[in-house]
Amino acid sequence: MTDSGLRSGQVADAAGVTLQTLRYYERRGLLAEPDRSPGGHRLYPQEAVTVLRVIKAAQRLGFTLEEISDLLEAGQHRHRQNPDEGLQARARDKLVDVEAKIADLTVIAASLRTALDAGCNDLIDCAHSPGCPLPFADLATTQPTGTLLQVVDGSEQRRGEPSASSHTIRRFGPAWAAPSR
């Protein structure tokens, strides 16, 4: 630490982030642009370490960088703060989201356990089986939360491009998933 602040490497080390992360948060406006030394080095106040630790903790709680930015902004303007903009309200909303995801993941885990117990080895064969434990019927009757695709002879087609040998499957983001109930 110099008399007027911490250098980039010192801040990053103390907060447990990389220099690239430090600079990224600065570019995103999550961290105030620091003063510069006469030699041009960034000089951060000690508070920057705390801000970085708060950002990382909030990310671990599921907040996005945009949400964290809003929370930091609301914290800087406490005297004008609307109660619906503060941490309490945002934490309640995030808890609802997290609990919904947990419920979805619980359904997915149960479906996967059932498929493992049933010995399913092929999605298409399993989907045609009357005893299929996977929720293909449920997937076909619920509204998509992802992209609806038809798998036609191993290739994907968008909905509305029918084929005689197609099977409809929903893709949820990067992974296949069952909807929540």
Side-chain angles (χ1 to χ4, degrees):
M1 179 169 170
T2 67
D3 290 338
S4 55
L6 299 168
R7 299 207 23 201
S8 298
Q10 294 170 310
V11 172
D13 288 343
V17 300
T18 65
L19 285 172
Q20 291 82 8
T21 298
L22 175 68
R23 302 256 165 67
Y24 179 69
Y25 291 167
E26 194 178 309
R27 283 193 308 274
R28 291 277 313 247
L30 295 166
L31 194 61
E33 189 173 326
D35 292 332
R36 299 276 182 161
S37 72
H41 297 283
R42 289 175 166 89
L43 296 175
Y44 295 87
Q46 181 65 39
E47 179 184 284
V49 174
T50 303
V51 171
L52 288 169
R53 288 177 179 166
V54 165
I55 292 168
K56 297 310 284 180
Q59 282 183 308
R60 284 191 298 276
L61 293 174
F63 288 99
T64 65
L65 289 178
E66 185 174 330
E67 291 168 329
I68 294 167
S69 178
D70 291 345
L71 285 169
L72 291 172
E73 179 71 23
Q76 291 174 353
H77 303 289
R78 282 185 213 121
H79 60 283
R80 298 186 310 222
Q81 185 172 329
N82 177 341
D84 293 333
E85 295 175 358
L87 178 59
Q88 288 290 313
R90 302 280 175 93
R92 272 191 295 279
D93 292 345
K94 186 57 67 177
L95 181 58
V96 168
D97 291 345
V98 168
E99 288 173 343
K101 288 177 185 176
I102 290 169
D104 287 347
L105 290 172
T106 300
V107 170
I108 292 167
S111 296
L112 291 171
R113 280 189 202 92
T114 304
L116 288 170
D117 292 345
C120 295
N121 288 320
D122 183 278
L123 284 175
I124 303 302
D125 289 344
C126 186
H128 289 296
S129 168
C132 177
L134 295 176
F136 290 112
D138 292 344
L139 288 173
T141 60
T142 58
Q143 291 298 315
T145 59
T147 303
L148 184 62
L149 302 171
Q150 289 182 321
V151 177
V152 181
D153 300 325
S155 63
E156 297 176 351
Q157 288 184 329
R158 296 255 175 233
R159 182 184 217 171
E161 300 172 10
S163 170
S165 62
S166 68
H167 303 282
T168 303
I169 299 175
R170 272 193 188 73
R171 180 180 298 176
F172 295 85
W176 299 91
S180 63
R181 295 200 156 139

